[in-house]
Amino acid sequence: MPTATGSSPFASLTDYIALPRVEGIALSPDGETAVLTVGALKKDGTAYERALWAVPATGGGTPRRLTRSAKGEAGAAFTASGDLLFVSARSDAEGDADDESGQLWLLPAAGGEARPVTRLAGGVDGIAATAEAAETVVVTAALLPGADSLESEAALRAKRKEKKVSAILHDAYPVRYWDHDLGPAEPHLLGLDLGDLEETIAAAVAESAAGEEQQTDAAPGDVETAGSPEKPYPATLPRPRDLTPRPGRSADHAEAALTPDGATLIVSLERREQRAGRRVIVAIDTASGRSTTLFDETGVDYEMPAVSHDGTRIAFLRTVKSTPEAPTDEEVWVAGIDGSKAARVVADWDRWASSLTFDAGDAALIATADDDGRGPVWRLPLDGGSAQKLTDDDFAYANVVVDRRTGDLVALRSSWVLPPHPVRIARSGSVTPLATPAASPAAPGSIADVETTAEDGARVRGWLLLPDGASAEAPAPLLLWIHGGPLGSWNAWSWRWAPLLAVARGYAVLLPDPALSTGYGLDFIARGWNSWGGKPYTDLMSITDAVASRDDIDETRTAAMGGSFGGYMANWVAGHTDRFRAIVTHASLWALDQFSGTTDNSEYWQRIFTPEAMLEHSPHRFVANIRTPLLVIHGDKDYRVPIGEGLRLWSELAEHHADEEGRMPHRFLYFPDENHWVLKPQHAVIWYETVFAFLAEHLRGEEFRRPELLG
């Protein structure tokens, strides 16, 4: 296996997985402090623990750690008064000793210990929304449908646990999502008034007395579910109000925003339709729970709602569902808080917003969107003007938050040579890096923008990462790395897909954006629509030709690799050309008719293909043509691209290419307990060790070195 040289953390897989990583950012109401969620490798190297760090939001200063617990913290958000909320499974001194569920916690701005805000039996999944001018917060939490109160829900959970029951009864599709089973609990949105959080000794005493009285009143034979009476929900904590009773699966992917006064929750929910559903926008009165549908249209999704700072307007995305004929645009709309006077804005903007928030003065929206291999921040005027690009660099921005005092923004930004780090963006567009406890490591090699012209005249571009020393005298072997999606772009750092690890080992890495990629307009996506094996494939071959012709690239030593849609395309490449010496196909689609019925979201995939195109562009039809050694990788907990794809691919490779003794040049790396991405740190190490050993075998002529922990 090729070894990396130098002191860069990318030279060692052990050093790489130990790099701390910034995963989120929140801004205090006064705009003075940014709170970062930072992940760090545990001492045993088997998982990541997360903590919250405070840094000055105006630049300079020193990071200050705010939280420290064995269970870690995540999902930071500020209340209107400046208290910090987060979700953690840390120990609650007044809760059950064996409770490992995550709960909502509050760290007071005035100082002192963090304290729990919830004590739900199934825990809190996340913070859905906070109010700018009120002590109202909405959380997401899963509740069992057979219970009619928080107390009975807790008792029912305890009984399932006692009886070791894990069975789930479904009456609707789907039954799983990405890497986890759905049910039996259903996702709810729960409203909390933080003003009801009691701190007095009297409240604690009263709560204890109530519990003792209940125990005394219970008859000897009065056994409630798990063997004890229902425990009352703590009186010292604000009692959650269920804003979405009997939700079914409608709140699985809820996107929510609160009005500044906390009185109204604007939320995108799913309205089920046979196997699928459409997204609708609903207004919910947080006091009464009364719900009013604002936008609901057959064949249309309404998503990503945002509320203006003055509470009078909402913004959202409106998308007509795509069909095999063509992809559809994602439109930005604005309406009154009651849904009136709805109108599309920046109609000529041919980009897809990945986030929306109102600018400081509510006269524009602040958005992020893919653009030409980058992910800039945009200002979208509401007065009929055109979209304005606020940042113009080689970075992608995320988690953008508005400082209402100054109009500046704070955000995380990254590129393929710099991991996510916090920055401040001035109104002028100038960017100032903020302090961070996770300093960016020096990247090996160099990065360049490359492009070519496809056979139909379309411009096809990508990033080329070159190792140090690559030259005409020492050309580097080339890895064509194909992105997933397929609606995506190679524009932002990924801790999971890390081309710098290959660069540190002497490989050049090409990250192209072929047809179907975002950030180049709707027409560019349409070039590959309902035709995955068409222009996406020829685009990849065209830009590979252009890069392989460089004198610092060794065109005789090339490999292709990709995951998800990238794995699909790796399989398609394998069946249509023998130009590559090796191909790595991770979590890949192999037989589209099989995949479309077993994936966790079958309706979408069957809706965007015609039956004829699904068959025509299925890689399995070309298995007999494969001449290149394949490394097949799949996780059994991958529900988006189920393990059946990898198993069938492996079976059919053996059917067509195994010799009389059953041997093949191909290999299959299988993870019984991993999902679509393979996320456990030591499994990620094994993933890269195996990939690099496979590439070294076929591109460098080295003997295959089996990773030690594979036995």
Side-chain angles (χ1 to χ4, degrees), residues 562-643:
S564 195
F565 168 77
Y568 160 90
M569 191 52 67
N571 293 338
W572 187 264
V573 167
H576 287 78
T577 180
D578 60 0
R579 67 178 296 165
F580 298 102
R581 287 193 180 186
I583 292 175
V584 179
T585 176
H586 170 96
S588 65
L589 290 70
W590 176 242
L592 292 188
D593 59 340
Q594 170 183 276
F595 160 78
S596 66
T598 58
T599 181
D600 59 356
N601 190 13
S602 60
E603 186 275 341
Y604 172 78
W605 299 103
Q606 294 175 2
R607 171 164 51 82
I608 64 171
F609 279 107
T610 62
E612 296 78 13
M614 188 176 292
L615 177 62
E616 179 184 353
H617 296 279
S618 185
H620 82 281
R621 296 175 52 237
F622 305 96
V623 61
N625 298 339
I626 293 176
R627 299 291 179 266
T628 306
L630 267 64
L631 173 59
V632 180
I633 309 177
H634 224 112
D636 207 306
K637 298 300 182 182
D638 185 351
Y639 298 157
R640 178 54 47 97
V641 183
I643 185 62

Coordinates of all heavy atoms in Angstrom, one line a residue, residues 562-643:
G562 N -16.4 6.2 -6.7 CA -17.5 7.1 -6.3 C -18.4 6.3 -5.4 O -18.4 5.1 -5.3
G563 N -19.3 7.1 -4.7 CA -20.3 6.5 -3.8 C -21.7 7.0 -4.1 O -21.9 8.1 -4.6
S564 N -22.7 6.1 -3.8 CA -24.1 6.4 -4.1 C -24.3 6.6 -5.6 O -24.0 5.7 -6.4 CB -24.5 7.7 -3.3 OG -25.9 7.8 -3.2
F565 N -24.7 7.8 -6.0 CA -24.8 8.0 -7.5 C -23.4 7.9 -8.1 O -23.2 7.4 -9.2 CB -25.4 9.4 -7.8 CG -25.2 9.8 -9.3 CD1 -26.0 9.2 -10.2 CD2 -24.2 10.6 -9.6 CE1 -25.8 9.5 -11.6 CE2 -24.0 11.0 -11.0 CZ -24.8 10.4 -11.9
G566 N -22.4 8.3 -7.3 CA -21.0 8.1 -7.8 C -20.7 6.7 -8.0 O -19.9 6.3 -8.9
G567 N -21.2 5.8 -7.1 CA -21.1 4.4 -7.2 C -21.8 3.8 -8.4 O -21.4 2.9 -9.1
Y568 N -23.1 4.4 -8.6 CA -23.8 4.0 -9.8 C -23.0 4.3 -11.1 O -22.8 3.4 -11.9 CB -25.1 4.8 -9.9 CG -25.7 4.9 -11.3 CD1 -26.5 3.9 -11.8 CD2 -25.3 5.9 -12.2 CE1 -27.0 3.9 -13.1 CE2 -25.7 5.9 -13.5 CZ -26.6 4.9 -14.0 OH -27.1 4.9 -15.3
M569 N -22.4 5.5 -11.1 CA -21.6 5.9 -12.3 C -20.3 5.1 -12.4 O -19.9 4.8 -13.5 CB -21.3 7.4 -12.2 CG -20.8 7.9 -13.5 SD -21.7 7.5 -15.0 CE -23.2 8.5 -14.7
A570 N -19.7 4.7 -11.3 CA -18.5 3.8 -11.3 C -18.9 2.5 -11.9 O -18.2 2.0 -12.8 CB -18.0 3.6 -9.9
N571 N -20.1 2.0 -11.6 CA -20.6 0.7 -12.2 C -20.8 0.9 -13.7 O -20.5 0.0 -14.5 CB -21.8 0.2 -11.5 CG -21.6 -0.2 -10.1 OD1 -20.5 -0.5 -9.7 ND2 -22.7 -0.2 -9.3
W572 N -21.4 2.0 -14.1 CA -21.7 2.3 -15.5 C -20.4 2.4 -16.3 O -20.2 1.9 -17.4 CB -22.5 3.6 -15.6 CG -23.0 3.9 -17.0 CD1 -22.4 4.7 -17.9 CD2 -24.1 3.3 -17.6 NE1 -23.1 4.7 -19.1 CE2 -24.2 3.9 -18.9 CE3 -25.1 2.5 -17.2 CZ2 -25.2 3.6 -19.9 CZ3 -26.1 2.2 -18.1 CH2 -26.1 2.7 -19.4
V573 N -19.4 3.1 -15.7 CA -18.1 3.3 -16.3 C -17.5 1.9 -16.5 O -16.9 1.6 -17.6 CB -17.2 4.2 -15.4 CG1 -15.7 4.1 -15.9 CG2 -17.6 5.6 -15.5
A574 N -17.6 1.0 -15.5 CA -17.0 -0.3 -15.6 C -17.5 -1.1 -16.7 O -16.8 -1.9 -17.4 CB -17.2 -1.1 -14.3
G575 N -18.8 -0.9 -17.0 CA -19.4 -1.7 -18.1 C -19.3 -1.0 -19.5 O -19.8 -1.6 -20.5
H576 N -18.7 0.2 -19.6 CA -18.6 0.9 -20.8 C -17.2 1.3 -21.3 O -17.1 1.8 -22.4 CB -19.5 2.1 -20.8 CG -21.0 1.8 -20.8 ND1 -21.7 1.3 -19.7 CD2 -21.9 1.8 -21.8 CE1 -22.9 1.1 -20.0 NE2 -23.1 1.4 -21.2
T577 N -16.2 1.1 -20.5 CA -14.9 1.4 -20.9 C -13.9 0.6 -20.0 O -14.2 0.2 -18.9 CB -14.6 2.9 -20.8 OG1 -13.2 3.1 -21.2 CG2 -14.7 3.3 -19.3
D578 N -12.8 0.2 -20.7 CA -11.7 -0.4 -19.9 C -10.5 0.5 -19.7 O -9.4 0.0 -19.5 CB -11.3 -1.7 -20.6 CG -10.8 -1.5 -22.0 OD1 -10.7 -0.3 -22.5 OD2 -10.4 -2.5 -22.7
R579 N -10.7 1.8 -19.8 CA -9.6 2.8 -19.8 C -9.0 2.9 -18.4 O -7.9 3.4 -18.2 CB -10.1 4.1 -20.2 CG -11.1 4.8 -19.3 CD -11.5 6.2 -19.7 NE -10.4 7.1 -19.7 CZ -10.4 8.3 -20.3 NH1 -11.4 8.7 -21.0 NH2 -9.3 9.0 -20.2
F580 N -9.7 2.5 -17.3 CA -9.2 2.6 -16.0 C -8.6 1.3 -15.5 O -9.1 0.2 -15.8 CB -10.3 3.0 -15.0 CG -10.9 4.4 -15.4 CD1 -12.1 4.5 -16.0 CD2 -10.2 5.6 -15.0 CE1 -12.7 5.7 -16.3 CE2 -10.7 6.8 -15.4 CZ -12.0 6.9 -16.0
R581 N -7.6 1.4 -14.7 CA -6.9 0.2 -14.2 C -7.7 -0.4 -13.0 O -7.5 -1.6 -12.6 CB -5.5 0.5 -13.7 CG -4.5 0.7 -14.9 CD -3.1 0.7 -14.3 NE -2.1 0.9 -15.4 CZ -0.8 0.8 -15.1 NH1 -0.4 0.5 -13.9 NH2 0.1 1.0 -16.1
A582 N -8.4 0.4 -12.3 CA -9.2 0.0 -11.1 C -10.4 0.9 -10.9 O -10.4 2.1 -11.2 CB -8.3 0.0 -9.8
I583 N -11.4 0.3 -10.3 CA -12.6 1.1 -10.0 C -13.1 0.7 -8.6 O -13.2 -0.4 -8.2 CB -13.7 0.8 -11.0 CG1 -13.3 1.4 -12.4 CG2 -15.1 1.4 -10.6 CD1 -14.3 1.0 -13.5
V584 N -13.4 1.8 -7.8 CA -14.0 1.6 -6.4 C -15.4 2.0 -6.5 O -15.7 3.2 -6.9 CB -13.2 2.4 -5.4 CG1 -13.8 2.2 -4.0 CG2 -11.7 2.0 -5.4
T585 N -16.3 1.1 -6.1 CA -17.8 1.5 -6.2 C -18.4 1.3 -4.8 O -18.5 0.1 -4.3 CB -18.5 0.6 -7.3 OG1 -19.9 0.9 -7.2 CG2 -18.2 -0.9 -7.1
H586 N -18.8 2.4 -4.2 CA -19.2 2.4 -2.8 C -20.7 2.7 -2.8 O -21.2 3.6 -3.4 CB -18.5 3.4 -2.0 CG -19.1 3.7 -0.6 ND1 -18.6 3.1 0.5 CD2 -20.1 4.5 -0.2 CE1 -19.3 3.5 1.5 NE2 -20.2 4.3 1.1
A587 N -21.5 1.9 -2.0 CA -22.9 2.1 -1.8 C -23.6 2.4 -3.1 O -24.4 3.3 -3.3 CB -23.2 3.3 -0.8
S588 N -23.4 1.5 -4.1 CA -23.7 1.8 -5.5 C -25.0 1.2 -5.9 O -25.5 0.1 -5.5 CB -22.6 1.3 -6.4 OG -22.5 -0.1 -6.4
L589 N -25.7 1.9 -6.8 CA -26.9 1.4 -7.5 C -26.4 0.5 -8.6 O -25.6 0.8 -9.5 CB -27.7 2.5 -8.1 CG -28.5 3.4 -7.1 CD1 -27.5 4.3 -6.3 CD2 -29.4 4.3 -7.9
W590 N -27.0 -0.7 -8.7 CA -26.6 -1.7 -9.7 C -27.7 -2.1 -10.6 O -27.6 -2.0 -11.8 CB -26.1 -3.0 -9.0 CG -25.7 -4.1 -9.9 CD1 -26.2 -5.3 -9.9 CD2 -24.7 -4.1 -10.9 NE1 -25.7 -6.1 -10.9 CE2 -24.7 -5.4 -11.5 CE3 -23.8 -3.2 -11.3 CZ2 -23.8 -5.7 -12.5 CZ3 -22.9 -3.5 -12.4 CH2 -22.9 -4.8 -12.9
A591 N -28.9 -2.5 -10.1 CA -30.0 -2.9 -10.9 C -31.2 -1.9 -10.5 O -31.8 -2.0 -9.5 CB -30.5 -4.3 -10.6
L592 N -31.4 -0.9 -11.4 CA -32.3 0.2 -11.1 C -33.8 -0.3 -10.8 O -34.4 0.3 -10.0 CB -32.3 1.2 -12.2 CG -31.0 2.0 -12.4 CD1 -31.2 3.1 -13.4 CD2 -30.5 2.5 -11.1
D593 N -34.2 -1.4 -11.5 CA -35.6 -1.8 -11.2 C -35.7 -2.4 -9.8 O -36.7 -2.2 -9.1 CB -36.1 -2.8 -12.2 CG -35.2 -4.1 -12.3 OD1 -34.0 -4.0 -11.8 OD2 -35.6 -5.1 -12.8
Q594 N -34.7 -3.1 -9.4 CA -34.6 -3.6 -8.0 C -34.5 -2.5 -7.0 O -35.2 -2.4 -6.0 CB -33.5 -4.6 -7.9 CG -33.2 -5.1 -6.5 CD -32.0 -6.0 -6.4 OE1 -32.1 -7.2 -6.6 NE2 -30.8 -5.4 -6.1
F595 N -33.5 -1.6 -7.3 CA -33.2 -0.5 -6.3 C -34.5 0.4 -6.1 O -34.8 0.7 -5.0 CB -32.1 0.4 -6.9 CG -32.1 1.8 -6.3 CD1 -31.5 2.0 -5.0 CD2 -32.6 2.9 -7.0 CE1 -31.5 3.3 -4.5 CE2 -32.6 4.1 -6.5 CZ -32.0 4.3 -5.2
S596 N -35.2 0.7 -7.2 CA -36.3 1.6 -7.1 C -37.4 1.1 -6.2 O -38.2 1.9 -5.7 CB -36.8 2.0 -8.5 OG -37.4 0.9 -9.1
G597 N -37.5 -0.2 -6.0 CA -38.6 -0.7 -5.2 C -38.2 -1.1 -3.8 O -39.0 -1.3 -2.9
T598 N -36.9 -1.0 -3.5 CA -36.4 -1.4 -2.2 C -35.7 -0.3 -1.4 O -35.5 -0.4 -0.2 CB -35.3 -2.6 -2.3 OG1 -34.3 -2.2 -3.1 CG2 -36.0 -3.8 -2.9
T599 N -35.4 0.8 -2.1 CA -34.9 2.0 -1.4 C -35.9 2.6 -0.4 O -37.1 2.2 -0.5 CB -34.5 3.1 -2.4 OG1 -33.9 4.2 -1.7 CG2 -35.6 3.5 -3.2
D600 N -35.5 3.4 0.5 CA -36.4 4.0 1.5 C -37.4 5.0 0.9 O -38.3 5.5 1.6 CB -35.6 4.6 2.6 CG -34.7 5.7 2.2 OD1 -34.6 6.0 1.0 OD2 -34.0 6.3 3.1
N601 N -37.2 5.4 -0.3 CA -38.0 6.5 -0.9 C -38.3 6.1 -2.4 O -38.0 6.8 -3.3 CB -37.3 7.8 -0.9 CG -38.2 9.0 -1.3 OD1 -39.4 8.8 -1.4 ND2 -37.6 10.1 -1.5
S602 N -39.0 5.0 -2.6 CA -39.2 4.4 -3.9 C -40.0 5.3 -4.8 O -39.7 5.3 -6.0 CB -39.8 3.0 -3.8 OG -41.1 3.1 -3.2
E603 N -41.0 6.0 -4.3 CA -41.8 6.8 -5.2 C -41.0 7.8 -6.0 O -41.3 8.0 -7.2 CB -42.9 7.5 -4.4 CG -44.0 8.2 -5.2 CD -43.6 9.6 -5.6 OE1 -42.7 10.2 -4.9 OE2 -44.2 10.2 -6.5
Y604 N -40.1 8.5 -5.3 CA -39.3 9.5 -6.0 C -38.5 9.0 -7.2 O -38.6 9.5 -8.3 CB -38.3 10.2 -5.0 CG -37.3 11.1 -5.7 CD1 -37.7 12.4 -6.1 CD2 -36.0 10.7 -6.0 CE1 -36.9 13.2 -6.7 CE2 -35.2 11.5 -6.6 CZ -35.6 12.8 -7.0 OH -34.7 13.6 -7.6
W605 N -37.8 7.8 -6.9 CA -37.0 7.3 -8.0 C -37.8 6.8 -9.1 O -37.4 6.9 -10.3 CB -36.1 6.2 -7.4 CG -35.2 6.7 -6.4 CD1 -35.3 6.6 -5.0 CD2 -34.1 7.6 -6.5 NE1 -34.4 7.3 -4.3 CE2 -33.6 7.9 -5.3 CE3 -33.4 8.1 -7.7 CZ2 -32.4 8.7 -5.1 CZ3 -32.3 8.9 -7.5 CH2 -31.8 9.2 -6.2
Q606 N -39.0 6.2 -8.8 CA -39.8 5.7 -9.9 C -40.5 6.9 -10.6 O -40.9 6.8 -11.8 CB -40.9 4.7 -9.4 CG -40.2 3.5 -8.9 CD -41.2 2.5 -8.2 OE1 -42.4 2.8 -8.1 NE2 -40.6 1.4 -7.7
R607 N -40.7 8.0 -9.9 CA -41.3 9.2 -10.6 C -40.4 9.9 -11.5 O -40.9 10.5 -12.5 CB -41.8 10.1 -9.5 CG -42.3 11.5 -10.0 CD -43.2 12.2 -9.0 NE -42.5 12.3 -7.7 CZ -41.6 13.3 -7.4 NH1 -41.2 14.1 -8.3 NH2 -41.1 13.3 -6.2
I608 N -39.1 9.9 -11.3 CA -38.2 10.7 -12.1 C -37.7 9.9 -13.3 O -37.0 10.5 -14.2 CB -37.1 11.3 -11.3 CG1 -36.1 10.2 -10.8 CG2 -37.6 12.2 -10.2 CD1 -34.9 10.7 -10.2
F609 N -38.0 8.6 -13.4 CA -37.6 7.8 -14.6 C -38.8 7.3 -15.3 O -39.8 6.9 -14.7 CB -36.7 6.6 -14.1 CG -35.3 6.9 -13.8 CD1 -34.9 6.9 -12.5 CD2 -34.4 7.1 -14.8 CE1 -33.5 7.1 -12.2 CE2 -33.1 7.3 -14.6 CZ -32.6 7.3 -13.2
T610 N -38.7 7.2 -16.6 CA -39.6 6.3 -17.3 C -39.2 4.9 -17.2 O -38.0 4.6 -16.9 CB -39.6 6.7 -18.8 OG1 -38.3 6.4 -19.4 CG2 -40.0 8.1 -19.1
P611 N -40.1 3.9 -17.3 CA -39.6 2.5 -17.2 C -38.6 2.1 -18.2 O -37.7 1.4 -17.9 CB -41.0 1.7 -17.4 CG -42.0 2.7 -17.0 CD -41.5 4.0 -17.4
E612 N -38.7 2.7 -19.4 CA -37.8 2.4 -20.4 C -36.4 2.9 -20.1 O -35.3 2.2 -20.3 CB -38.2 3.0 -21.8 CG -39.5 2.4 -22.3 CD -40.8 3.0 -21.6 OE1 -40.6 4.0 -20.9 OE2 -41.9 2.4 -21.8
A613 N -36.3 4.2 -19.6 CA -35.0 4.8 -19.2 C -34.4 4.0 -18.0 O -33.1 3.9 -18.0 CB -35.2 6.2 -18.9
M614 N -35.2 3.6 -17.1 CA -34.7 2.9 -16.0 C -34.0 1.6 -16.4 O -32.9 1.2 -15.8 CB -35.8 2.6 -15.0 CG -35.3 2.0 -13.7 SD -36.7 1.8 -12.5 CE -37.2 3.5 -12.1
L615 N -34.6 0.9 -17.4 CA -33.9 -0.3 -17.9 C -32.7 0.0 -18.7 O -31.6 -0.6 -18.6 CB -34.9 -1.1 -18.7 CG -34.4 -2.4 -19.3 CD1 -33.9 -3.4 -18.2 CD2 -35.5 -3.1 -20.2
E616 N -32.9 1.0 -19.6 CA -31.8 1.4 -20.5 C -30.5 1.8 -19.8 O -29.4 1.5 -20.2 CB -32.2 2.5 -21.4 CG -31.1 3.0 -22.4 CD -31.6 4.2 -23.3 OE1 -32.8 4.5 -23.2 OE2 -30.8 4.7 -24.0
H617 N -30.7 2.5 -18.6 CA -29.5 3.0 -17.9 C -29.2 2.3 -16.7 O -28.5 2.8 -15.8 CB -29.8 4.5 -17.6 CG -30.0 5.4 -18.8 ND1 -28.9 5.9 -19.5 CD2 -31.1 5.8 -19.5 CE1 -29.3 6.6 -20.5 NE2 -30.6 6.5 -20.5
S618 N -29.6 1.0 -16.6 CA -29.2 0.2 -15.5 C -27.9 -0.5 -15.7 O -27.7 -1.3 -16.7 CB -30.3 -0.9 -15.2 OG -30.1 -1.6 -14.0
P619 N -26.9 -0.3 -14.8 CA -25.6 -0.9 -15.0 C -25.5 -2.4 -15.1 O -24.6 -2.9 -15.7 CB -24.8 -0.4 -13.8 CG -25.5 0.9 -13.3 CD -27.0 0.6 -13.6
H620 N -26.5 -3.1 -14.4 CA -26.4 -4.5 -14.4 C -26.4 -5.2 -15.7 O -25.9 -6.3 -15.9 CB -27.5 -5.1 -13.5 CG -28.8 -5.2 -14.1 ND1 -29.7 -4.2 -14.3 CD2 -29.4 -6.4 -14.6 CE1 -30.8 -4.6 -14.9 NE2 -30.6 -5.9 -15.1
R621 N -27.0 -4.5 -16.7 CA -27.1 -5.1 -18.1 C -25.8 -5.2 -18.7 O -25.6 -6.0 -19.7 CB -28.0 -4.2 -18.9 CG -29.4 -4.1 -18.4 CD -30.3 -3.1 -19.2 NE -30.2 -3.3 -20.7 CZ -29.7 -2.4 -21.6 NH1 -29.4 -1.2 -21.2 NH2 -29.7 -2.7 -22.8
F622 N -24.7 -4.6 -18.2 CA -23.4 -4.6 -18.9 C -22.4 -5.3 -18.1 O -21.2 -5.1 -18.3 CB -23.0 -3.1 -19.2 CG -24.1 -2.4 -19.9 CD1 -25.0 -1.6 -19.2 CD2 -24.2 -2.5 -21.3 CE1 -26.0 -0.9 -19.9 CE2 -25.2 -1.8 -22.0 CZ -26.1 -1.0 -21.3
V623 N -22.8 -6.2 -17.2 CA -21.8 -6.9 -16.3 C -20.8 -7.7 -17.1 O -19.6 -7.8 -16.8 CB -22.6 -7.8 -15.3 CG1 -23.4 -8.9 -16.0 CG2 -21.6 -8.4 -14.3
A624 N -21.3 -8.3 -18.2 CA -20.4 -9.2 -19.0 C -19.3 -8.4 -19.7 O -18.2 -8.9 -20.1 CB -21.2 -9.9 -20.1
N625 N -19.5 -7.0 -19.8 CA -18.5 -6.2 -20.5 C -17.4 -5.7 -19.5 O -16.4 -5.1 -20.0 CB -19.1 -4.9 -21.1 CG -20.2 -5.3 -22.1 OD1 -20.1 -6.4 -22.7 ND2 -21.1 -4.4 -22.4
I626 N -17.5 -6.0 -18.2 CA -16.6 -5.4 -17.3 C -15.2 -6.1 -17.4 O -15.1 -7.3 -17.4 CB -17.1 -5.6 -15.8 CG1 -18.3 -4.7 -15.6 CG2 -16.0 -5.2 -14.8 CD1 -19.0 -4.8 -14.3
R627 N -14.2 -5.3 -17.6 CA -12.8 -5.8 -17.7 C -11.9 -5.2 -16.6 O -10.7 -5.6 -16.5 CB -12.2 -5.4 -19.1 CG -13.0 -6.0 -20.3 CD -12.8 -7.5 -20.3 NE -13.5 -8.1 -21.4 CZ -14.8 -8.6 -21.3 NH1 -15.4 -8.6 -20.1 NH2 -15.4 -9.2 -22.4
T628 N -12.4 -4.3 -15.8 CA -11.6 -3.6 -14.8 C -11.8 -4.2 -13.4 O -13.0 -4.4 -13.1 CB -11.9 -2.1 -14.8 OG1 -11.8 -1.6 -16.1 CG2 -11.0 -1.3 -13.9
P629 N -10.8 -4.4 -12.6 CA -11.0 -4.9 -11.3 C -11.8 -3.9 -10.5 O -11.6 -2.7 -10.5 CB -9.6 -5.0 -10.7 CG -8.7 -5.2 -11.9 CD -9.3 -4.3 -13.0
L630 N -12.8 -4.4 -9.7 CA -13.7 -3.6 -8.9 C -13.5 -3.9 -7.4 O -13.4 -5.0 -7.1 CB -15.2 -3.8 -9.3 CG -15.9 -3.0 -10.3 CD1 -15.2 -3.1 -11.7 CD2 -17.4 -3.3 -10.4
L631 N -13.5 -2.8 -6.6 CA -13.6 -2.9 -5.2 C -15.0 -2.5 -4.8 O -15.4 -1.3 -5.0 CB -12.6 -2.1 -4.5 CG -12.7 -2.0 -2.9 CD1 -12.6 -3.4 -2.3 CD2 -11.7 -1.1 -2.3
V632 N -15.8 -3.5 -4.5 CA -17.2 -3.2 -4.1 C -17.3 -3.0 -2.6 O -16.7 -3.8 -1.8 CB -18.1 -4.4 -4.5 CG1 -19.6 -4.1 -4.1 CG2 -18.0 -4.7 -6.0
I633 N -18.0 -1.9 -2.1 CA -18.1 -1.6 -0.7 C -19.5 -1.3 -0.4 O -20.2 -0.5 -1.1 CB -17.2 -0.4 -0.3 CG1 -15.8 -0.5 -0.8 CG2 -17.2 -0.2 1.2 CD1 -14.9 0.7 -0.5
H634 N -20.0 -1.9 0.7 CA -21.4 -1.7 1.0 C -21.6 -1.9 2.5 O -21.0 -2.8 3.1 CB -22.4 -2.6 0.3 CG -23.6 -1.9 -0.3 ND1 -23.8 -1.6 -1.6 CD2 -24.6 -1.3 0.4 CE1 -24.9 -1.0 -1.8 NE2 -25.5 -0.8 -0.6
G635 N -22.5 -1.1 3.1 CA -22.9 -1.3 4.5 C -24.3 -1.9 4.6 O -25.2 -1.5 3.8
D636 N -24.5 -2.8 5.5 CA -25.8 -3.5 5.6 C -26.9 -2.6 6.2 O -28.1 -2.9 6.0 CB -25.7 -4.7 6.6 CG -26.7 -5.8 6.2 OD1 -27.9 -5.5 6.2 OD2 -26.3 -7.0 6.0
K637 N -26.6 -1.5 6.9 CA -27.6 -0.6 7.4 C -27.8 0.6 6.4 O -28.4 1.6 6.8 CB -27.1 0.0 8.7 CG -26.9 -1.1 9.8 CD -28.2 -1.8 10.1 CE -28.0 -2.8 11.2 NZ -29.2 -3.6 11.5
D638 N -27.5 0.4 5.2 CA -27.7 1.4 4.2 C -29.1 1.2 3.6 O -29.4 0.2 2.9 CB -26.7 1.3 3.0 CG -26.9 2.4 2.0 OD1 -27.9 3.2 2.0 OD2 -26.0 2.5 1.1
Y639 N -30.1 2.1 4.0 CA -31.4 1.9 3.5 C -31.7 2.8 2.3 O -32.8 2.5 1.6 CB -32.4 2.2 4.6 CG -32.3 1.3 5.9 CD1 -32.7 1.7 7.1 CD2 -31.7 0.1 5.7 CE1 -32.6 0.9 8.2 CE2 -31.6 -0.8 6.9 CZ -32.1 -0.3 8.1 OH -31.9 -1.1 9.2
R640 N -30.9 3.7 2.0 CA -31.1 4.5 0.8 C -30.7 3.7 -0.4 O -31.4 3.7 -1.5 CB -30.3 5.8 0.9 CG -30.4 6.7 -0.3 CD -31.8 7.1 -0.8 NE -32.7 7.5 0.3 CZ -32.9 8.8 0.6 NH1 -32.3 9.8 -0.1 NH2 -33.8 9.1 1.5
V641 N -29.6 3.0 -0.4 CA -29.1 2.1 -1.4 C -29.0 0.7 -0.7 O -27.9 0.4 -0.2 CB -27.8 2.5 -2.1 CG1 -27.5 1.6 -3.3 CG2 -28.0 3.9 -2.7
P642 N -30.0 0.0 -0.7 CA -30.0 -1.2 0.2 C -28.9 -2.2 -0.2 O -28.4 -2.3 -1.4 CB -31.4 -1.8 -0.1 CG -32.2 -0.7 -0.5 CD -31.3 0.2 -1.3
I643 N -28.5 -3.0 0.7 CA -27.4 -4.0 0.6 C -27.7 -4.9 -0.6 O -26.7 -5.5 -1.2 CB -27.2 -4.8 1.9 CG1 -26.0 -5.7 1.8 CG2 -28.5 -5.6 2.2 CD1 -24.7 -5.0 1.6

